Amino acid sequence: MELITPSVDYFGSYKHALADFEAAGISGFWRFYGTTEDPEAYLERIRQYQHRAGLDDGLVPASIFWLVDNHEFVGHVSIRHELNAALKRVGGHIGYAIRPAAQRKGYGSAILRLALPKARELGIRSALVTCDASNVASRRIIEKNGGVFKEEMEVEGRIVLHFIIDL
C-alpha cells in the first residue's frame, strides 16, 4: 500500500472507483478535474492544482495523491497548501475519500497517516482536519492519527468537528 502521484497506470481502477462512488450516492472531488474521457488531460488538470496560476477563483493550491494497494486505486487525498475562509469552516488542510468497496478495512487511517508527512513537507505545521459530527468513522480515523478536538461549528445546518494534528 502506498500514496502515489495520480498515474495513468491506475486510471482504469480509478474510473471504476468513481462509478462506485456515484452508485453509492457520493459526489465529490473528481468533479473538479473535468471529464475522465482523456486520462492525460484529466491527470494534467490534477497536477495544475498544485500551483496557484490557473486555479479558479476561491480555490487554493493542493497536492493530490492516490492510495493504491495490490495495483488498485483505493482512495484519494487532497492536501491543501493553505486555507481560505471556506476551508477553515469545512474541509481543512486534508480531505480524503476511500472507495466504498474498500471502506472499513483500515484504508482511511492509512491514507491520513501517509498524508501527514507530505503535509509537513509542504510546510504545514498544524493541520486542520474536519468531519461531520455524524461521521463517527472519520472522527476515529482523525483521532487515531493524532487529531485533537478543537471545536465544533454549525455549517449550513450540520455540525462540523474541527481537529488539529501537530506535524
Side-chain angles (χ1 to χ4, degrees), residues 1 10-11 17 21 44 67 78 83 95 107 109 126 130 139 149 159 163:
M1 173 176 20
Y10 295 93
F11 206 78
F21 280 116
E44 179 57 31
L67 182 67
S78 176
L83 298 178
Y107 289 117
S109 292
S126 184
T130 72
R139 180 180 187 149
F149 178 75
I159 302 299
F163 296 85

Side-chain angles (χ1 to χ4, degrees), residues 109-143:
S109 292
I111 201 168
L112 183 53
R113 177 178 43 81
L114 294 169
L116 294 174
K118 295 188 179 294
R120 183 169 173 76
E121 289 171 12
L122 290 167
I124 299 167
R125 296 293 175 251
S126 184
L128 172 64
V129 185
T130 72
C131 70
D132 282 1
S134 62
N135 192 338
V136 175
S138 190
R139 180 180 187 149
R140 285 186 186 139
I141 289 167
I142 296 166
E143 290 175 337

Side-chain angles (χ1 to χ4, degrees), residues 51-68:
H51 310 287
R52 181 169 305 287
L55 286 181
D56 295 334
D57 287 341
L59 298 177
V60 300
S63 294
I64 310 302
F65 298 96
W66 289 353
L67 182 67
V68 295

Side-chain angles (χ1 to χ4, degrees), residues 89-90 130-133 151-153 155 158-162:
R89 298 181 74 208
V90 178
T130 72
C131 70
D132 282 1
E151 64 186 343
E152 66 179 46
M153 181 180 292
V155 179
R158 67 186 212 255
I159 302 299
V160 177
L161 306 178
H162 288 200

Side-chain angles (χ1 to χ4, degrees), residues 7-117:
S7 165
V8 72
D9 297 337
Y10 295 93
F11 206 78
S13 176
Y14 176 77
K15 284 181 69 170
H16 284 111
L18 297 187
D20 291 349
F21 280 116
E22 295 280 351
I26 302 167
S27 63
F29 60 88
W30 58 92
R31 294 177 186 231
F32 290 108
Y33 313 129
T35 179
T36 58
E37 297 306 312
D38 180 349
E40 290 295 340
Y42 188 89
L43 294 173
E44 179 57 31
R45 181 75 172 134
I46 288 173
R47 285 188 286 276
Q48 289 174 354
Y49 268 75
Q50 294 180 44
H51 310 287
R52 181 169 305 287
L55 286 181
D56 295 334
D57 287 341
L59 298 177
V60 300
S63 294
I64 310 302
F65 298 96
W66 289 353
L67 182 67
V68 295
D69 193 18
N70 293 321
H71 307 289
E72 293 289 322
F73 171 89
V74 176
H76 160 103
V77 63
S78 176
I79 305 171
R80 290 109 184 182
H81 302 185
E82 59 192 57
L83 298 178
N84 60 21
L87 289 170
K88 287 178 183 176
R89 298 181 74 208
V90 178
H93 285 103
I94 302 172
Y96 53 89
I98 302 299
R99 72 185 296 174
Q103 292 176 0
R104 299 180 197 242
K105 297 180 180 177
Y107 289 117
S109 292
I111 201 168
L112 183 53
R113 177 178 43 81
L114 294 169
L116 294 174

